[in-house]
Amino acid sequence: MRLQYSILFFIFFFGAFAQEKTEVVKPVDSLYREDQFYVNFTYNQLQNFKGLTQTKFSPGFCVGILRDMPINKSRTFAIATGLGYSLNIFENNLLVNNAATGVPNSYAFLATANYNKNQFTLHYLDVPIEVRWRTSTPSDHQFWRIYTGFKMSYLVSDSYKFENGDQNNSIHSNPDLNKLVYGTYVAIGWNTWNLYAYYGLNSIFKSGVIDSQKINTNSFNIGLQFYIL
Protein backbone atom coordinates (compact mmCIF):
# COMPACT_ATOMS: atom_id res chain seq x y z
CA MET A 1 0.00 0.00 0.00
CA ARG A 2 2.79 2.45 0.84
CA LEU A 3 4.38 1.65 -2.50
CA GLN A 4 1.16 2.51 -4.31
CA TYR A 5 0.84 5.85 -2.48
CA SER A 6 4.47 6.62 -3.30
CA ILE A 7 3.91 5.95 -6.98
CA LEU A 8 0.78 8.14 -7.08
CA PHE A 9 2.60 10.98 -5.29
CA PHE A 10 5.49 10.71 -7.76
CA ILE A 11 3.12 10.90 -10.75
CA PHE A 12 1.15 13.94 -9.46
CA PHE A 13 4.24 15.81 -8.33
CA PHE A 14 6.13 15.52 -11.57
CA GLY A 15 2.95 16.03 -13.66
CA ALA A 16 2.28 19.34 -11.87
CA PHE A 17 5.95 20.31 -12.17
CA ALA A 18 5.97 19.59 -15.90
CA GLN A 19 2.77 21.63 -16.43
CA GLU A 20 4.17 24.57 -14.48
CA LYS A 21 7.38 24.43 -16.45
CA THR A 22 5.46 24.42 -19.75
CA GLU A 23 3.53 27.55 -18.78
CA VAL A 24 6.72 29.39 -17.76
CA VAL A 25 8.50 28.79 -21.05
CA LYS A 26 5.53 29.73 -23.24
CA PRO A 27 7.01 31.83 -26.11
CA VAL A 28 6.14 35.50 -26.56
CA ASP A 29 5.00 36.57 -30.02
CA SER A 30 7.23 39.55 -30.83
CA LEU A 31 5.58 39.89 -34.27
CA TYR A 32 2.04 40.23 -32.95
CA ARG A 33 -0.72 42.12 -34.74
CA GLU A 34 -3.55 43.93 -32.97
CA ASP A 35 -7.24 44.65 -33.46
CA GLN A 36 -7.92 42.89 -36.74
CA PHE A 37 -11.70 42.55 -36.30
CA TYR A 38 -14.01 45.37 -35.24
CA VAL A 39 -17.66 46.04 -34.44
CA ASN A 40 -19.35 49.28 -33.46
CA PHE A 41 -22.73 50.62 -32.43
CA THR A 42 -23.60 54.26 -33.06
CA TYR A 43 -26.21 56.99 -32.84
CA ASN A 44 -26.66 58.56 -36.29
CA GLN A 45 -27.65 62.06 -37.25
CA LEU A 46 -28.11 63.85 -40.58
CA GLN A 47 -27.00 67.46 -40.41
CA ASN A 48 -26.15 70.68 -42.25
CA PHE A 49 -29.53 70.96 -44.01
CA LYS A 50 -31.95 73.61 -42.75
CA GLY A 51 -35.33 72.23 -41.69
CA LEU A 52 -34.15 68.62 -41.33
CA THR A 53 -34.58 67.29 -37.78
CA GLN A 54 -34.25 63.95 -36.01
CA THR A 55 -37.54 62.52 -34.74
CA LYS A 56 -36.51 59.26 -33.07
CA PHE A 57 -33.38 57.35 -32.09
CA SER A 58 -31.39 56.52 -35.23
CA PRO A 59 -29.06 53.53 -34.71
CA GLY A 60 -26.06 52.31 -36.68
CA PHE A 61 -24.01 49.12 -36.77
CA CYS A 62 -20.66 48.26 -38.38
CA VAL A 63 -18.56 45.11 -38.53
CA GLY A 64 -15.41 44.31 -40.47
CA ILE A 65 -11.87 43.02 -40.72
CA LEU A 66 -8.64 45.03 -40.86
CA ARG A 67 -5.09 44.00 -41.71
CA ASP A 68 -2.80 45.43 -39.02
CA MET A 69 0.61 46.43 -40.41
CA PRO A 70 3.08 47.74 -37.76
CA ILE A 71 5.58 50.29 -39.02
CA ASN A 72 8.03 50.56 -36.10
CA LYS A 73 10.09 48.01 -34.18
CA SER A 74 8.06 48.23 -30.96
CA ARG A 75 4.84 47.84 -33.01
CA THR A 76 3.15 50.78 -31.28
CA PHE A 77 2.54 52.52 -34.62
CA ALA A 78 0.74 50.82 -37.50
CA ILE A 79 -1.44 51.32 -40.51
CA ALA A 80 -4.44 49.15 -41.29
CA THR A 81 -6.89 48.65 -44.13
CA GLY A 82 -9.65 46.17 -44.78
CA LEU A 83 -13.31 45.61 -45.62
CA GLY A 84 -16.49 46.08 -43.64
CA TYR A 85 -20.27 46.31 -43.66
CA SER A 86 -22.35 49.08 -42.12
CA LEU A 87 -26.05 49.59 -41.50
CA ASN A 88 -27.28 53.15 -40.97
CA ILE A 89 -30.85 54.02 -40.00
CA PHE A 90 -32.16 57.59 -39.97
CA GLU A 91 -35.45 58.63 -38.39
CA ASN A 92 -36.24 62.21 -39.41
CA ASN A 93 -38.87 64.55 -40.82
CA LEU A 94 -37.90 64.22 -44.51
CA LEU A 95 -40.90 62.82 -46.41
CA VAL A 96 -40.38 61.09 -49.77
CA ASN A 97 -43.18 60.63 -52.32
CA ASN A 98 -43.10 58.58 -55.51
CA ALA A 99 -46.36 58.88 -57.45
CA ALA A 100 -45.52 56.48 -60.31
CA THR A 101 -42.72 54.49 -61.91
CA GLY A 102 -40.42 56.73 -63.92
CA VAL A 103 -41.58 59.86 -62.12
CA PRO A 104 -38.90 61.63 -60.02
CA ASN A 105 -39.28 61.49 -56.26
CA SER A 106 -40.62 64.57 -54.52
CA TYR A 107 -39.55 65.68 -51.05
CA ALA A 108 -41.09 67.69 -48.24
CA PHE A 109 -40.74 68.23 -44.52
CA LEU A 110 -43.41 66.67 -42.35
CA ALA A 111 -45.40 69.37 -40.60
CA THR A 112 -46.18 67.22 -37.57
CA ALA A 113 -44.53 64.44 -35.58
CA ASN A 114 -47.79 62.48 -35.28
CA TYR A 115 -46.83 59.47 -37.41
CA ASN A 116 -45.55 55.96 -36.68
CA LYS A 117 -42.45 55.74 -38.85
CA ASN A 118 -40.45 57.85 -41.29
CA GLN A 119 -37.23 55.91 -41.79
CA PHE A 120 -34.30 55.63 -44.18
CA THR A 121 -32.32 52.36 -44.02
CA LEU A 122 -28.95 52.28 -45.80
CA HIS A 123 -26.60 49.32 -46.26
CA TYR A 124 -22.97 49.97 -47.21
CA LEU A 125 -19.78 48.10 -48.02
CA ASP A 126 -16.90 49.94 -46.35
CA VAL A 127 -13.22 50.27 -47.19
CA PRO A 128 -11.43 51.87 -44.21
CA ILE A 129 -7.78 52.86 -43.99
CA GLU A 130 -6.37 54.10 -40.71
CA VAL A 131 -3.27 55.20 -38.82
CA ARG A 132 -2.83 53.57 -35.40
CA TRP A 133 -1.06 54.44 -32.17
CA ARG A 134 -1.22 52.20 -29.09
CA THR A 135 0.67 51.25 -25.96
CA SER A 136 0.51 47.48 -26.48
CA THR A 137 3.39 45.04 -25.87
CA PRO A 138 3.89 41.39 -26.89
CA SER A 139 2.73 40.23 -23.43
CA ASP A 140 0.12 42.88 -22.52
CA HIS A 141 -2.93 43.36 -24.69
CA GLN A 142 -4.78 45.81 -22.46
CA PHE A 143 -3.66 49.19 -23.71
CA TRP A 144 -4.53 52.73 -24.75
CA ARG A 145 -5.24 53.34 -28.42
CA ILE A 146 -5.89 56.23 -30.78
CA TYR A 147 -6.90 55.10 -34.27
CA THR A 148 -7.90 57.63 -36.92
CA GLY A 149 -8.70 57.09 -40.54
CA PHE A 150 -10.67 57.62 -43.74
CA LYS A 151 -13.54 55.43 -44.90
CA MET A 152 -15.16 55.03 -48.32
CA SER A 153 -18.62 53.42 -48.36
CA TYR A 154 -20.52 52.02 -51.34
CA LEU A 155 -24.31 51.87 -51.09
CA VAL A 156 -25.48 48.32 -51.89
CA SER A 157 -29.10 48.55 -50.71
CA ASP A 158 -31.49 51.19 -49.42
CA SER A 159 -35.12 51.55 -48.42
CA TYR A 160 -37.48 54.24 -47.19
CA LYS A 161 -40.67 53.62 -45.18
CA PHE A 162 -43.40 55.96 -44.04
CA GLU A 163 -46.19 54.57 -41.86
CA ASN A 164 -49.10 56.43 -40.34
CA GLY A 165 -52.15 54.30 -39.73
CA ASP A 166 -53.62 53.30 -43.10
CA GLN A 167 -51.20 55.54 -45.00
CA ASN A 168 -48.05 53.63 -45.94
CA ASN A 169 -45.32 54.48 -48.42
CA SER A 170 -42.27 52.35 -49.28
CA ILE A 171 -39.41 53.10 -51.70
CA HIS A 172 -36.41 50.92 -52.56
CA SER A 173 -33.25 51.77 -54.52
CA ASN A 174 -33.76 55.51 -54.45
CA PRO A 175 -31.81 56.95 -57.44
CA ASP A 176 -31.38 60.27 -55.61
CA LEU A 177 -28.96 58.75 -53.10
CA ASN A 178 -25.20 58.90 -53.56
CA LYS A 179 -23.73 55.47 -54.30
CA LEU A 180 -20.35 56.51 -52.87
CA VAL A 181 -19.97 58.38 -49.59
CA TYR A 182 -16.80 59.01 -47.62
CA GLY A 183 -15.66 60.51 -44.36
CA THR A 184 -13.16 60.58 -41.53
CA TYR A 185 -13.36 58.76 -38.21
CA VAL A 186 -11.54 58.27 -34.93
CA ALA A 187 -11.57 55.59 -32.22
CA ILE A 188 -10.07 56.42 -28.81
CA GLY A 189 -10.09 54.25 -25.73
CA TRP A 190 -8.66 51.77 -23.28
CA ASN A 191 -8.88 47.99 -23.65
CA THR A 192 -12.49 47.03 -24.52
CA TRP A 193 -14.14 50.45 -24.42
CA ASN A 194 -13.46 52.86 -27.28
CA LEU A 195 -15.30 56.04 -28.18
CA TYR A 196 -15.98 56.17 -31.92
CA ALA A 197 -16.99 59.12 -34.11
CA TYR A 198 -17.50 59.39 -37.88
CA TYR A 199 -18.05 62.57 -39.90
CA GLY A 200 -19.23 62.32 -43.50
CA LEU A 201 -17.47 64.61 -45.96
CA ASN A 202 -20.08 64.45 -48.71
CA SER A 203 -23.87 64.34 -48.89
CA ILE A 204 -25.79 61.06 -48.81
CA PHE A 205 -28.02 62.62 -51.53
CA LYS A 206 -26.78 63.39 -55.03
CA SER A 207 -30.09 64.90 -56.17
CA GLY A 208 -33.52 65.83 -54.87
CA VAL A 209 -34.82 69.26 -53.89
CA ILE A 210 -37.15 70.90 -51.37
CA ASP A 211 -38.52 74.32 -52.41
CA SER A 212 -35.84 74.58 -55.12
CA GLN A 213 -33.12 73.86 -52.54
CA LYS A 214 -30.91 70.85 -53.22
CA ILE A 215 -30.88 68.29 -50.42
CA ASN A 216 -27.34 68.40 -49.10
CA THR A 217 -26.92 66.57 -45.80
CA ASN A 218 -24.07 64.50 -44.37
CA SER A 219 -23.95 61.93 -41.61
CA PHE A 220 -22.46 62.29 -38.15
CA ASN A 221 -22.24 59.05 -36.14
CA ILE A 222 -21.04 58.63 -32.57
CA GLY A 223 -20.89 55.54 -30.37
CA LEU A 224 -18.68 52.70 -29.14
CA GLN A 225 -16.23 50.53 -31.06
CA PHE A 226 -14.91 47.14 -29.98
CA TYR A 227 -11.85 45.28 -31.30
CA ILE A 228 -11.18 41.54 -31.39
CA LEU A 229 -7.79 39.83 -31.89
Side-chain angles (χ1 to χ4, degrees), residues 28-43:
V28 174
D29 183 9
S30 61
L31 300 178
Y32 68 94
R33 298 177 187 271
E34 293 287 4
D35 300 339
Q36 299 197 86
F37 296 89
Y38 68 91
V39 59
N40 71 40
F41 302 92
T42 59
Y43 166 75

Side-chain angles (χ1 to χ4, degrees), residues 90-129:
F90 298 98
E91 291 270 4
N92 53 57
N93 66 335
L94 183 61
L95 177 68
V96 187
N97 288 305
N98 190 346
T101 302
V103 177
N105 294 328
S106 62
Y107 297 86
F109 290 127
L110 289 161
T112 176
N114 295 325
Y115 51 86
N116 299 327
K117 178 184 289 188
N118 190 62
Q119 181 183 95
F120 292 84
T121 302
L122 311 178
H123 302 265
Y124 291 99
L125 283 180
D126 301 326
V127 179
I129 181 169

Side-chain angles (χ1 to χ4, degrees), residues 33-227:
R33 298 177 187 271
E34 293 287 4
D35 300 339
Q36 299 197 86
F37 296 89
Y38 68 91
V39 59
N40 71 40
F41 302 92
T42 59
Y43 166 75
N44 301 335
Q45 184 173 11
L46 292 176
Q47 55 182 13
N48 296 328
F49 187 64
K50 186 177 180 180
L52 182 64
T53 60
Q54 301 289 116
T55 55
K56 296 180 181 179
F57 181 76
S58 299
F61 168 77
C62 295
V63 63
I65 182 171
L66 289 159
R67 180 62 170 174
D68 185 72
M69 296 172 283
I71 56 177
N72 66 332
K73 187 176 181 180
S74 61
R75 307 180 86 79
T76 54
F77 285 93
I79 58 174
T81 188
L83 185 66
Y85 159 79
S86 61
L87 165 66
N88 290 318
I89 295 174
F90 298 98
E91 291 270 4
N92 53 57
N93 66 335
L94 183 61
L95 177 68
V96 187
N97 288 305
N98 190 346
T101 302
V103 177
N105 294 328
S106 62
Y107 297 86
F109 290 127
L110 289 161
T112 176
N114 295 325
Y115 51 86
N116 299 327
K117 178 184 289 188
N118 190 62
Q119 181 183 95
F120 292 84
T121 302
L122 311 178
H123 302 265
Y124 291 99
L125 283 180
D126 301 326
V127 179
I129 181 169
E130 64 188 37
V131 178
R132 298 176 154 194
W133 173 85
R134 63 228 177 179
T135 60
S136 62
T137 67
S139 58
D140 183 7
H141 302 291
Q142 296 184 4
F143 52 86
W144 289 100
R145 63 170 65 80
I146 301 175
Y147 295 170
T148 183
F150 177 83
K151 182 171 71 172
M152 293 183 294
S153 301
Y154 182 79
L155 183 67
V156 294
S157 176
D158 66 271
S159 64
Y160 165 80
K161 291 184 179 180
F162 174 79
E163 296 178 2
N164 188 23
D166 295 332
Q167 183 182 358
N168 296 315
N169 185 20
S170 179
I171 297 173
H172 297 273
S173 301
N174 186 344
D176 295 329
L177 294 174
N178 255 326
K179 281 293 186 180
L180 183 66
V181 295
Y182 48 87
T184 60
Y185 65 90
V186 62
I188 302 174
W190 160 260
N191 195 20
T192 301
W193 300 96
N194 301 274
L195 181 65
Y196 173 87
Y198 167 87
Y199 184 83
L201 297 176
N202 68 326
S203 175
I204 69 167
F205 284 87
K206 68 178 180 180
S207 57
V209 296
I210 297 179
D211 298 329
S212 301
Q213 183 181 5
K214 183 179 178 181
I215 302 174
N216 187 8
T217 179
N218 61 308
S219 177
F220 175 69
N221 309 341
I222 188 167
L224 293 174
Q225 180 140 312
F226 305 91
Y227 293 97

